[in-house]
Every structure is written in C-alpha cells, then in structure tokens.
Amino acid sequence: TKHFPVRARGRAALSRTPRVVHAVDDVTLTLRSGRVTALVGESGSGKSTVARLLAQLYPRTGGDIRLAGSSTEVKGGRAFKAYAKRVQMIFQDPFASLNPVHTVRHHLTRALRIHGKPADQQGLTELLGRVQLTPAELYLDKYPHELSGGQRQRVSIARALAADPEALLADEPVSMLDVSIRLGVLNLLRDLKERLDLAILYITHDIASARYFADETMVMYAGRMVEGGDSETVTQNPAHPYTQLLVDSAPNPERLGAIVEDDDEDSGEPPSLIDPPSGCRFHPRCPHAMAICKAKVPERIELTDAPGHWAACWLYADKAALGEGAVPEQA
Ligand code: SF4
Ligand code: MG
C-alpha cells in the first residue's frame, strides 16, 4: 500500500484531516524466476508506483515485500545497494535514464564497478552481447544521442544486467520506442528471462502486448488489483468488467506493437484517488454495478475456468451469501 500526502491549498489547508492520494491499496503479486508477469492498467492506475515500491525507491505505507521468502526493509544506502543488486529497474524513457554526457562505456563500466564486477573489455563485451549490441566496439564509445531509441533501451537493459539481478522491473519499457522496434526489445527481454532465469515485471497499458509477452497478467484499476491469472485466460476470457473494457478497446493483436498511445480511449474517466469511490472503485463506470458494489470492497474470488484465475468482483460471489445486495441496480 502506498498513500501520498496531498499538500492542501487555500481553504482546504485549514481542514484538519490530512488528505492523501490512495495510489496503491492492498496490491498483492508474486514474481517468479523465469516468468514474465504483466501489470496492466491505464495511466494513473498505480502500476508505476507498484514498480517503484518493489524497487524500494520509496517507502511503502503498509504491507511487505519478500525476496526469496525474506522480508525486506531497506533503510539507508548500504541496504539499498544490496537490494538493488538483486532487483533492477528499467524505465520508460531510456534517453532520460542515460546521462547524455557519458558514453556507453562509461555507463556500463560504472554499473559493473558498483556491483563489484571486473569492468574490463571482456566484461563490457559480454554485457553488450547479452543485449545483442555486437560487435561491442561499434557501441562502446558512443553517446546516448548517437544511438537509436531501441539501442538506448538495450544499453539501459545491459546496465541493469551488470548487477546479475534476480528480478527486472520494466516500467513501460517499449512504449516510447518506434512501433517497428518494440517487438525486438520485448523478444530480447523474453530471451533474457529464459537464459538468465529472470523474474520480470512488465508494466504496460497495452493488454495486447501482455498477451503476447507475459506468462501471467494482473490488471489494476484505480490503485487496486482487479483480476489476475495466466495471460491467455485473462486476455481471452476476461472476467472483471474493467478487464473486459480494456480487452474490447485494445488494438487488434495482428497489429501488435501499434500500442495505444491514448490512455483515454474508453468511455469514462478514472476516478480521483484522493477521494476514491467506495466499495468497488470501478462501480461508477461498471455496467453491472449492484448495491453491494458501492458498499463493500470485493475480495479476490477464485474462478473455475482456469487454475489461478481470479477476479475482485461481486458478480462472481456466491449470490446466496450476498443476499439482497446482489441485485443489479436499475438502469
Ligand atoms: Fe462492477 Fe460490482 Fe464487479 Fe465492481 S464489483 S466490477 S461494480 S459488478
Ligand atoms: Mg506510469
């Protein structure tokens, strides 16, 4: 869970109740070695916040992050360094994450040294080879602006791999790249997952790419997780009304890579997370909303169509147990 304080202005500043943004509430997910887990949602759903929490880039409001079963509490530089050796993050904009005044050699040398690895020619060549930038001599002395967007993202990935991490957190790693090269970068990540047995978190607003690339898919809406399961099931047989909306508005999978640029393609706006809707946060937009949906937060309900498939939606609860609340509200 992550809540951010809101700085009040004007009259609101006089109120005594501190206001918070409920960016992430009660999100639970598991990353596994050799698997890609997609976290899908529209912008503002909290998915980048989840990645930053997992990278320990800021403290969480509540909950726990376990790495190979052990709780992690990162306080101070040394603990962060030890954690970052095992869990690395790749950002959306490779241009912003590489320093324009330094060459590829400088970036990778520094990364290898930070993680106590020999930063010799062999180490550098091997690192660039892992991201298919060969021969290394062609790239080592280039500056970020001399590389294409795809090459820059490969350098960022190489830098992350310098740590020999167990997990890679990739926040929209291809959404700023040209459509024509997105698939190449996703295929590289998939190849790395297999060869290095990496656990990858793939954050995206494009559910079609999750189907193509991820083993498991989790869907977030307004700071909460609403559905999860294997990617095939979630994308082909979505259970939660929000996932259904996402799938319906996703581009044709034949055009995979033509990832939606516009986050507001569907009807309705995501709600304010300062004052989120009660109960199921999707209820103001949901065509199936019932009285109980406004009153109670839906729990994860295991679905029977595929192992591990679940949805947080009252539609799937045992109707008898719900009583009168489970009656569609009249349109
Ligand atoms: Fe719709 Fe209710 Fe399900 Fe929320 S819990 S998605 S409002 S049916
Ligand atoms: Mg984001």
Side-chain angles (χ1 to χ4, degrees), residues 240-241 280 282-283 286 288-290 293 298 312-315:
H240 195 281
C280 171
F282 190 57
H283 83 250
C286 182
H288 310 289
M290 304 168 277
C293 303
C313 171
W314 289 120
L315 285 176

Side-chain angles (χ1 to χ4, degrees), residues 177-301:
L177 304 180
D178 273 359
V179 168
S180 59
I181 57 173
R182 286 176 182 171
L183 215 50
V185 173
L186 291 184
N187 286 340
L188 167 70
L189 285 170
R190 179 150 66 185
D191 181 56
L192 290 169
K193 161 195 94 166
E194 274 155 25
R195 277 194 295 138
L196 306 175
D197 205 27
L198 280 170
I200 297 182
L201 177 67
Y202 170 59
I203 292 190
T204 184
H205 57 265
D206 174 38
I207 197 161
S209 74
R211 181 184 173 204
Y212 167 78
F213 174 53
D215 301 292
E216 281 161 282
T217 292
M218 306 281 155
V219 181
M220 267 187 94
Y221 181 76
R224 287 191 192 278
M225 208 87 105
V226 297
E227 181 165 359
D230 72 83
S231 295
E232 189 67 18
T233 306
V234 171
T235 58
Q236 292 303 97
N237 195 17
H240 195 281
Y242 175 63
T243 315
Q244 291 168 355
L245 181 74
L246 271 185
V247 168
D248 286 345
S249 55
N252 182 337
E254 311 277 83
R255 287 173 46 234
L256 170 77
I259 296 169
V260 204
E261 306 289 349
D262 175 5
D263 283 337
D264 301 319
E265 74 284 352
D266 58 66
S267 60
E269 291 284 306
S272 155
L273 295 182
I274 294 180
D275 199 7
S278 61
C280 171
R281 290 183 180 173
F282 190 57
H283 83 250
R285 288 168 77 183
C286 182
H288 310 289
M290 304 168 277
I292 190 171
C293 303
K294 266 187 215 176
K296 278 180 83 177
V297 177
E299 286 163 19
R300 285 185 183 212
I301 294 164

Side-chain angles (χ1 to χ4, degrees), residues 60-71:
R60 51 195 180 259
T61 307
D64 192 16
I65 297 171
R66 289 193 286 270
L67 194 53
S70 312
S71 282

Side-chain angles (χ1 to χ4, degrees), residues 98-114 119 124 127-128 139-144 155 159:
L98 297 174
N99 187 331
V101 306
H102 291 311
T103 59
V104 172
R105 183 189 301 277
H106 180 102
H107 281 102
L108 299 184
T109 300
R110 188 157 180 273
L112 285 166
R113 287 209 182 114
I114 286 175
L124 294 171
L127 216 42
L128 284 177
Y139 301 98
L140 278 171
D141 296 307
K142 293 213 159 125
Y143 289 88
V155 171
R159 181 175 56 181

Side-chain angles (χ1 to χ4, degrees), residues 47-48 171-172:
K47 51 198 199 306
S48 293
D171 189 2
E172 307 243 19

